[in-house]
Amino acid sequence: MSWDSYITSLTKSEWVDDAVILGCTPGQESVWASAPGGWLNQVTAAEVKAIIASDRSTLFANGVTLAGRKCTVLRDALNVDGQNTMDIKMKTSEKEPDPFSFTIGRSHKAIIIAKGVKDAHGGKVNPPVFDMTAYLRKSNM
Amino acid sequence: MGAEQEINSGRSYYIDTTALHVPRAGVELISPLKNGMIEDWNAFQAIIDHIYSKHIKSEPSLHPVLMSEAPWNSRAKREKLTELIFEHYNIPAFFLCKTAVLTAFANGRATGLVLDSGATHTTAIPVHDGYVLQQGIVKSPLAGDFITMQCRELFQEMNIDTVPPYMIASKEPVREGAPPLWTKKDKLPPVTKSWHTYMCNEVIQDFQASVLQVSDSPYDEQVAAQMPTVHYEMPSGYSTDYGAERLRIPEGLFDPSNVKGLSGNTMLGVGHVVTTSIGMCDIDIRPGLYGSVIVTGGNTLLQGFTERLNRELSQKAPPSMRLKLIACNSSIERRFSSWIGGSILASLGTFQQMWISKQEYDEGGKQSVERKCP
């Protein structure tokens, strides 16, 4: 089973241009597959731990980071059964003036992160991640 | 405004402002919404049918629909609404957008703290880049209806009867403060209590809008006693001057500590509602929120409301934080800002990617609304 095919099925959407799948079980937070040319493959294990933490209260006030880039949490249903997704938006700065939308999905063993293209609405990035997360959960992954 | 009435047997509805004001026997006055969310689905459907037949005058299947929703709308209600829209009305494309986001757009911004003070609630909703940050929503029940209740108590203390215009056949001019002289219309149908209460509330709301004023600094007895008085005449003909009450009643919105009947409850004043809401958000976006506090809702049209809010926020906000209050001057814009925002949003080129089409609904089911309408 190739994780790369999961990545391509995410990036083939015209609204998604970068994606990564990482393990989320403790000790296994490594990159399983990522889209070529993107920077999501630099997401660190510490960032994954912060994203899946069971205490969600600090996430909203402090935000999360993806590969060192700060993001604001918009909608968090990562640990909610039936949803298991989280919508975030990158904070802008002089180096990165475009606020990209991201959706993070969590299955039993992995997390999937997809990045929207410039000006993509969050509602276009969420459905493919949600569908893939739901599929992986059904296959017990 | 679409409040409507129904007959208890056989459920027929009278909808729209003109139909609403006709006294009819046995007709209750209801609203299909509770707490901003749809509660009575039959009444809601009756309103939609009325809109299509009497106002839009076209088939529902020909036009995409952008609908606003309360920022705290539950997932079950959103899905039920989506199902109703696609299955019953066969609408070709649909999007559900939160009122706070639309209000921000109506004021030319995608980020800001929307302070909505309407009839039932005063709410602060942080909006960031077109998305509502739900964890930062702060609600307080101190709003228009609370003020109406306080005014009603004032009238009871002053022994003034709020007689609604529908009962009055004729009235005579009387001296100021003298008991009113009016004759009741004969042959009035036996109206229900809910309808009569609503008509009385309209009288009180007119008083509220014309006489009350928010003091621009915390209420002080001495200062209030020197306020110029305002003359107001009831529909019954009773007229008198109002002085300190003008300032005392709306003070409850900003400083609930002295309000009778609320003691023991830790209610938040309007200024605190705003600062608490911003305090629950990501630290880096707080300057953006303080720099765009968008004031909306009919209750904010009280004279002096925005000036007092500006003063409260400049005292409570962290020092060196740039504060800017945005408030439309026209009352129409403040009461219907979410509609105006929706009109702007639906015309944007970048919005066209966001619709849920009938095809997407057929493939994804009603859950698509939760995915595509954050």
Side-chain angles (χ1 to χ4, degrees):
Chain A
M1 167 196 47
S2 153
W3 288 108
D4 285 329
S5 57
Y6 283 87
I7 297 284
T8 34
S9 80
L10 283 174
T11 52
K12 72 169 189 261
S13 156
E14 61 178 305
W15 301 109
V16 175
D17 64 359
D18 193 3
V20 71
I21 299 183
L22 304 115
C24 68
T25 45
Q28 303 273 348
E29 300 100 348
S30 58
V31 174
W32 292 2
S34 69
W39 49 258
L40 278 178
N41 54 7
Q42 296 162 28
V43 172
T44 67
E47 289 171 348
V48 174
K49 283 207 185 68
I51 289 170
I52 63 173
S54 35
D55 176 19
R56 314 303 286 171
S57 51
T58 52
L59 283 181
F60 289 109
N62 298 331
V64 295
T65 56
L66 286 182
R69 292 163 178 78
K70 290 170 52 155
C71 301
T72 315
V73 176
L74 300 175
R75 223 177 22 156
D76 174 31
L78 202 66
N79 294 334
V80 172
D81 272 335
Q83 298 220 52
N84 302 110
T85 56
M86 191 164 143
D87 297 298
I88 64 180
K89 212 158 187 187
M90 198 163 86
K91 291 186 191 172
T92 54
S93 61
E94 291 90 37
K95 276 188 303 172
E96 313 248 14
D98 297 315
F100 294 107
S101 300
F102 296 83
T103 302
I104 305 178
R106 180 186 184 176
S107 69
H108 297 294
K109 298 196 189 135
I111 69 166
I112 303 156
I113 309 178
K115 167 172 166 287
V117 302
K118 178 163 140 58
D119 286 342
H121 186 247
K124 303 301 290 191
V125 184
N126 190 304
V129 175
F130 173 78
D131 290 335
M132 186 172 288
T133 309
Y135 170 77
L136 286 177
R137 288 193 156 248
K138 257 201 326 218
S139 333
N140 246 330
M141 292 198 302
Chain B
M1 275 285 269
E4 68 289 348
Q5 310 170 298
E6 57 160 290
I7 294 182
N8 283 327
S9 63
R11 274 296 154 110
S12 92
Y13 293 93
Y14 297 95
I15 298 172
D16 223 339
T17 335
T18 32
L20 195 68
H21 283 88
V22 176
R24 282 179 251 257
V27 182
E28 300 278 353
L29 193 129
I30 61 169
S31 163
L33 301 181
K34 190 159 178 245
N35 195 14
M37 302 187 285
I38 303 171
E39 198 65 36
D40 186 340
W41 291 89
N42 287 328
F44 177 73
Q45 233 179 289
I47 296 183
I48 302 281
D49 291 334
H50 173 97
I51 295 175
Y52 273 111
S53 60
K54 297 282 185 314
H55 295 280
I56 300 180
K57 296 190 197 160
S58 175
E59 284 302 311
S61 56
L62 297 177
H63 309 281
V65 170
L66 167 64
M67 202 175 276
S68 69
E69 61 170 354
W72 47 85
N73 206 10
S74 75
R75 185 168 165 207
K77 288 190 199 276
R78 306 177 88 201
E79 293 185 353
K80 182 164 181 179
L81 178 64
T82 309
E83 200 175 20
L84 177 73
I85 290 284
F86 279 115
E87 309 263 343
H88 182 82
Y89 289 102
N90 274 318
I91 285 175
F94 183 60
F95 192 80
L96 211 48
C97 195
K98 301 190 169 16
T99 51
V101 175
L102 296 177
T103 297
F105 288 161
N107 285 285
R109 282 159 163 75
T111 299
L113 192 291
V114 174
L115 175 70
D116 185 348
S117 185
T120 43
H121 285 99
T122 296
T123 328
I125 305 142
V127 176
H128 176 67
D129 235 358
Y131 298 91
V132 165
L133 302 178
Q134 292 209 294
Q135 73 287 0
I137 297 180
V138 177
K139 281 169 85 164
S140 156
L142 303 175
D145 284 349
F146 161 73
I147 300 284
T148 307
M149 205 178 61
Q150 297 272 299
C151 289
R152 186 182 279 118
E153 281 174 14
L154 172 76
F155 291 140
Q156 271 174 347
E157 276 171 30
M158 291 170 69
N159 269 325
I160 305 174
D161 253 335
T162 40
V163 182
Y166 83 89
M167 289 173 74
I168 300 175
S170 68
K171 62 184 179 188
E172 288 172 28
V174 291
R175 258 185 15 249
E176 211 177 280
L181 280 172
W182 58 277
T183 39
K184 187 171 171 180
K185 265 192 200 159
D186 48 336
K187 292 202 269 234
L188 275 180
V191 293
T192 55
K193 189 157 185 293
S194 62
W195 192 86
H196 177 83
T197 313
Y198 183 78
M199 292 298 138
C200 294
N201 277 345
E202 284 200 334
V203 175
I204 304 179
Q205 278 159 11
D206 182 68
F207 170 82
Q208 196 175 319
S210 22
V211 172
L212 298 185
Q213 180 171 335
V214 180
S215 136
D216 55 351
S217 50
Y219 178 77
D220 183 274
E221 293 258 11
Q222 265 77 347
V223 174
Q226 297 174 2
M227 271 291 290
T229 57
V230 162
H231 185 84
Y232 186 78
E233 183 185 321
M234 290 287 178
S236 61
Y238 178 82
S239 74
T240 185
D241 282 337
Y242 300 90
E245 306 83 48
R246 293 179 60 205
L247 292 186
R248 184 169 47 86
I249 293 176
E251 185 65 22
L253 290 176
F254 287 88
D255 182 12
S257 54
N258 291 322
V259 179
K260 303 178 271 193
L262 279 190
S263 51
N265 253 329
T266 44
M267 299 271 189
L268 292 175
V270 173
H272 277 123
V273 166
V274 173
T275 47
T276 310
S277 172
I278 299 184
M280 301 214 262
C281 294
D282 197 311
I283 295 178
D284 295 316
I285 63 174
R286 285 180 204 174
L289 296 178
Y290 273 115
S292 295
V293 176
I294 300 162
V295 177
T296 187
N299 195 40
T300 61
L301 292 166
L302 279 176
Q303 199 183 348
F305 188 98
T306 37
E307 289 80 7
R308 175 67 181 274
L309 180 64
N310 205 338
R311 190 167 187 280
E312 295 254 324
L313 289 182
S314 28
Q315 288 175 341
K316 294 186 167 68
S320 82
M321 188 73 85
R322 191 174 144 263
L323 174 70
K324 183 165 176 183
L325 236 67
I326 295 138
C328 306
N329 284 324
S330 128
S331 88
I332 298 280
E333 282 179 43
R334 259 197 238 182
R335 287 161 61 209
F336 304 118
S337 53
S338 39
W339 188 92
I340 295 172
S343 160
I344 294 173
L345 179 63
S347 352
L348 291 181
T350 46
F351 176 68
Q352 306 313 316
Q353 53 166 294
M354 287 157 56
W355 292 107
I356 303 175
S357 64
K358 182 106 175 46
Q359 189 191 9
E360 282 171 334
Y361 172 78
D362 288 334
E363 290 169 2
K366 58 189 180 176
Q367 295 85 336
S368 327
V369 73
E370 191 68 19
R371 313 261 61 77
K372 295 207 72 185
C373 306

PDB file of all heavy atoms in Angstrom, chain A residues 100-116:
ATOM      1  N   PHE A 100      -2.770  31.055   4.057  1.00  0.00           N
ATOM      2  CA  PHE A 100      -3.275  29.816   3.472  1.00  0.00           C
ATOM      3  C   PHE A 100      -4.184  29.095   4.459  1.00  0.00           C
ATOM      4  O   PHE A 100      -3.993  29.154   5.664  1.00  0.00           O
ATOM      5  CB  PHE A 100      -2.106  28.894   3.102  1.00  0.00           C
ATOM      6  CG  PHE A 100      -1.245  29.456   2.003  1.00  0.00           C
ATOM      7  CD1 PHE A 100       0.013  29.949   2.278  1.00  0.00           C
ATOM      8  CD2 PHE A 100      -1.709  29.490   0.698  1.00  0.00           C
ATOM      9  CE1 PHE A 100       0.813  30.467   1.264  1.00  0.00           C
ATOM     10  CE2 PHE A 100      -0.916  30.002  -0.321  1.00  0.00           C
ATOM     11  CZ  PHE A 100       0.345  30.499  -0.032  1.00  0.00           C
ATOM     12  N   SER A 101      -5.159  28.354   3.907  1.00  0.00           N
ATOM     13  CA  SER A 101      -6.043  27.538   4.740  1.00  0.00           C
ATOM     14  C   SER A 101      -5.502  26.129   4.790  1.00  0.00           C
ATOM     15  O   SER A 101      -5.034  25.607   3.789  1.00  0.00           O
ATOM     16  CB  SER A 101      -7.439  27.472   4.133  1.00  0.00           C
ATOM     17  OG  SER A 101      -7.989  28.738   4.034  1.00  0.00           O
ATOM     18  N   PHE A 102      -5.573  25.518   5.966  1.00  0.00           N
ATOM     19  CA  PHE A 102      -5.157  24.121   6.119  1.00  0.00           C
ATOM     20  C   PHE A 102      -6.284  23.360   6.783  1.00  0.00           C
ATOM     21  O   PHE A 102      -7.027  23.911   7.586  1.00  0.00           O
ATOM     22  CB  PHE A 102      -3.938  23.998   7.051  1.00  0.00           C
ATOM     23  CG  PHE A 102      -2.703  24.658   6.534  1.00  0.00           C
ATOM     24  CD1 PHE A 102      -2.518  26.007   6.720  1.00  0.00           C
ATOM     25  CD2 PHE A 102      -1.737  23.922   5.886  1.00  0.00           C
ATOM     26  CE1 PHE A 102      -1.368  26.630   6.250  1.00  0.00           C
ATOM     27  CE2 PHE A 102      -0.585  24.535   5.418  1.00  0.00           C
ATOM     28  CZ  PHE A 102      -0.406  25.894   5.607  1.00  0.00           C
ATOM     29  N   THR A 103      -6.395  22.077   6.453  1.00  0.00           N
ATOM     30  CA  THR A 103      -7.268  21.219   7.238  1.00  0.00           C
ATOM     31  C   THR A 103      -6.435  20.043   7.695  1.00  0.00           C
ATOM     32  O   THR A 103      -5.663  19.475   6.926  1.00  0.00           O
ATOM     33  CB  THR A 103      -8.473  20.732   6.433  1.00  0.00           C
ATOM     34  OG1 THR A 103      -9.197  21.854   5.963  1.00  0.00           O
ATOM     35  CG2 THR A 103      -9.386  19.893   7.304  1.00  0.00           C
ATOM     36  N   ILE A 104      -6.591  19.690   8.981  1.00  0.00           N
ATOM     37  CA  ILE A 104      -5.865  18.547   9.542  1.00  0.00           C
ATOM     38  C   ILE A 104      -6.893  17.492   9.889  1.00  0.00           C
ATOM     39  O   ILE A 104      -7.906  17.791  10.518  1.00  0.00           O
ATOM     40  CB  ILE A 104      -5.124  18.966  10.825  1.00  0.00           C
ATOM     41  CG1 ILE A 104      -4.220  20.153  10.531  1.00  0.00           C
ATOM     42  CG2 ILE A 104      -4.333  17.800  11.386  1.00  0.00           C
ATOM     43  CD1 ILE A 104      -3.486  20.670  11.745  1.00  0.00           C
ATOM     44  N   GLY A 105      -6.638  16.266   9.450  1.00  0.00           N
ATOM     45  CA  GLY A 105      -7.564  15.180   9.777  1.00  0.00           C
ATOM     46  C   GLY A 105      -6.831  14.154  10.608  1.00  0.00           C
ATOM     47  O   GLY A 105      -5.625  13.963  10.458  1.00  0.00           O
ATOM     48  N   ARG A 106      -7.539  13.501  11.526  1.00  0.00           N
ATOM     49  CA  ARG A 106      -6.861  12.523  12.376  1.00  0.00           C
ATOM     50  C   ARG A 106      -7.538  11.170  12.283  1.00  0.00           C
ATOM     51  O   ARG A 106      -8.721  11.036  12.628  1.00  0.00           O
ATOM     52  CB  ARG A 106      -6.916  13.017  13.820  1.00  0.00           C
ATOM     53  CG  ARG A 106      -6.244  12.063  14.754  1.00  0.00           C
ATOM     54  CD  ARG A 106      -6.426  12.476  16.183  1.00  0.00           C
ATOM     55  NE  ARG A 106      -5.684  11.572  17.048  1.00  0.00           N
ATOM     56  CZ  ARG A 106      -5.572  11.712  18.344  1.00  0.00           C
ATOM     57  NH1 ARG A 106      -6.157  12.743  18.918  1.00  0.00           N
ATOM     58  NH2 ARG A 106      -4.891  10.868  19.063  1.00  0.00           N
ATOM     59  N   SER A 107      -6.769  10.176  11.843  1.00  0.00           N
ATOM     60  CA  SER A 107      -7.307   8.821  11.860  1.00  0.00           C
ATOM     61  C   SER A 107      -6.692   8.126  13.073  1.00  0.00           C
ATOM     62  O   SER A 107      -6.058   8.772  13.899  1.00  0.00           O
ATOM     63  CB  SER A 107      -6.951   8.092  10.574  1.00  0.00           C
ATOM     64  OG  SER A 107      -5.560   7.849  10.538  1.00  0.00           O
ATOM     65  N   HIS A 108      -6.847   6.821  13.192  1.00  0.00           N
ATOM     66  CA  HIS A 108      -6.358   6.160  14.398  1.00  0.00           C
ATOM     67  C   HIS A 108      -4.850   6.260  14.544  1.00  0.00           C
ATOM     68  O   HIS A 108      -4.324   6.443  15.630  1.00  0.00           O
ATOM     69  CB  HIS A 108      -6.771   4.689  14.409  1.00  0.00           C
ATOM     70  CG  HIS A 108      -8.258   4.516  14.458  1.00  0.00           C
ATOM     71  ND1 HIS A 108      -8.994   4.892  15.543  1.00  0.00           N
ATOM     72  CD2 HIS A 108      -9.127   4.048  13.550  1.00  0.00           C
ATOM     73  CE1 HIS A 108     -10.275   4.642  15.314  1.00  0.00           C
ATOM     74  NE2 HIS A 108     -10.388   4.132  14.107  1.00  0.00           N
ATOM     75  N   LYS A 109      -4.130   6.112  13.413  1.00  0.00           N
ATOM     76  CA  LYS A 109      -2.673   6.054  13.537  1.00  0.00           C
ATOM     77  C   LYS A 109      -1.958   7.204  12.858  1.00  0.00           C
ATOM     78  O   LYS A 109      -0.747   7.334  12.992  1.00  0.00           O
ATOM     79  CB  LYS A 109      -2.149   4.758  12.903  1.00  0.00           C
ATOM     80  CG  LYS A 109      -2.659   3.535  13.579  1.00  0.00           C
ATOM     81  CD  LYS A 109      -1.832   2.313  13.204  1.00  0.00           C
ATOM     82  CE  LYS A 109      -2.495   1.056  13.718  1.00  0.00           C
ATOM     83  NZ  LYS A 109      -2.527  -0.008  12.723  1.00  0.00           N
ATOM     84  N   ALA A 110      -2.678   7.999  12.087  1.00  0.00           N
ATOM     85  CA  ALA A 110      -1.980   9.019  11.296  1.00  0.00           C
ATOM     86  C   ALA A 110      -2.713  10.335  11.354  1.00  0.00           C
ATOM     87  O   ALA A 110      -3.894  10.396  11.700  1.00  0.00           O
ATOM     88  CB  ALA A 110      -1.880   8.548   9.838  1.00  0.00           C
ATOM     89  N   ILE A 111      -1.990  11.409  11.018  1.00  0.00           N
ATOM     90  CA  ILE A 111      -2.705  12.655  10.747  1.00  0.00           C
ATOM     91  C   ILE A 111      -2.379  13.097   9.332  1.00  0.00           C
ATOM     92  O   ILE A 111      -1.291  12.858   8.814  1.00  0.00           O
ATOM     93  CB  ILE A 111      -2.419  13.784  11.759  1.00  0.00           C
ATOM     94  CG1 ILE A 111      -1.015  14.316  11.653  1.00  0.00           C
ATOM     95  CG2 ILE A 111      -2.686  13.345  13.171  1.00  0.00           C
ATOM     96  CD1 ILE A 111      -0.904  15.624  12.417  1.00  0.00           C
ATOM     97  N   ILE A 112      -3.389  13.700   8.726  1.00  0.00           N
ATOM     98  CA  ILE A 112      -3.277  14.144   7.341  1.00  0.00           C
ATOM     99  C   ILE A 112      -3.383  15.656   7.359  1.00  0.00           C
ATOM    100  O   ILE A 112      -4.283  16.194   7.991  1.00  0.00           O
ATOM    101  CB  ILE A 112      -4.470  13.607   6.525  1.00  0.00           C
ATOM    102  CG1 ILE A 112      -4.518  12.089   6.620  1.00  0.00           C
ATOM    103  CG2 ILE A 112      -4.397  14.065   5.089  1.00  0.00           C
ATOM    104  CD1 ILE A 112      -5.891  11.543   6.371  1.00  0.00           C
ATOM    105  N   ILE A 113      -2.459  16.337   6.693  1.00  0.00           N
ATOM    106  CA  ILE A 113      -2.535  17.794   6.620  1.00  0.00           C
ATOM    107  C   ILE A 113      -2.577  18.180   5.145  1.00  0.00           C
ATOM    108  O   ILE A 113      -1.738  17.717   4.370  1.00  0.00           O
ATOM    109  CB  ILE A 113      -1.316  18.467   7.286  1.00  0.00           C
ATOM    110  CG1 ILE A 113      -1.114  17.915   8.691  1.00  0.00           C
ATOM    111  CG2 ILE A 113      -1.517  19.976   7.342  1.00  0.00           C
ATOM    112  CD1 ILE A 113       0.093  18.507   9.389  1.00  0.00           C
ATOM    113  N   ALA A 114      -3.559  18.998   4.792  1.00  0.00           N
ATOM    114  CA  ALA A 114      -3.634  19.474   3.404  1.00  0.00           C
ATOM    115  C   ALA A 114      -3.616  20.993   3.409  1.00  0.00           C
ATOM    116  O   ALA A 114      -4.221  21.634   4.265  1.00  0.00           O
ATOM    117  CB  ALA A 114      -4.919  18.975   2.746  1.00  0.00           C
ATOM    118  N   LYS A 115      -2.896  21.566   2.413  1.00  0.00           N
ATOM    119  CA  LYS A 115      -2.788  23.021   2.333  1.00  0.00           C
ATOM    120  C   LYS A 115      -3.576  23.498   1.126  1.00  0.00           C
ATOM    121  O   LYS A 115      -3.454  22.953   0.032  1.00  0.00           O
ATOM    122  CB  LYS A 115      -1.314  23.401   2.195  1.00  0.00           C
ATOM    123  CG  LYS A 115      -1.059  24.847   1.793  1.00  0.00           C
ATOM    124  CD  LYS A 115       0.431  25.138   1.877  1.00  0.00           C
ATOM    125  CE  LYS A 115       0.808  26.425   1.177  1.00  0.00           C
ATOM    126  NZ  LYS A 115       0.774  26.323  -0.285  1.00  0.00           N
ATOM    127  N   GLY A 116      -4.386  24.543   1.351  1.00  0.00           N
ATOM    128  CA  GLY A 116      -5.162  25.084   0.245  1.00  0.00           C
ATOM    129  C   GLY A 116      -4.317  26.026  -0.589  1.00  0.00           C
ATOM    130  O   GLY A 116      -3.343  26.590  -0.109  1.00  0.00           O
TER     131      GLY A 116
END
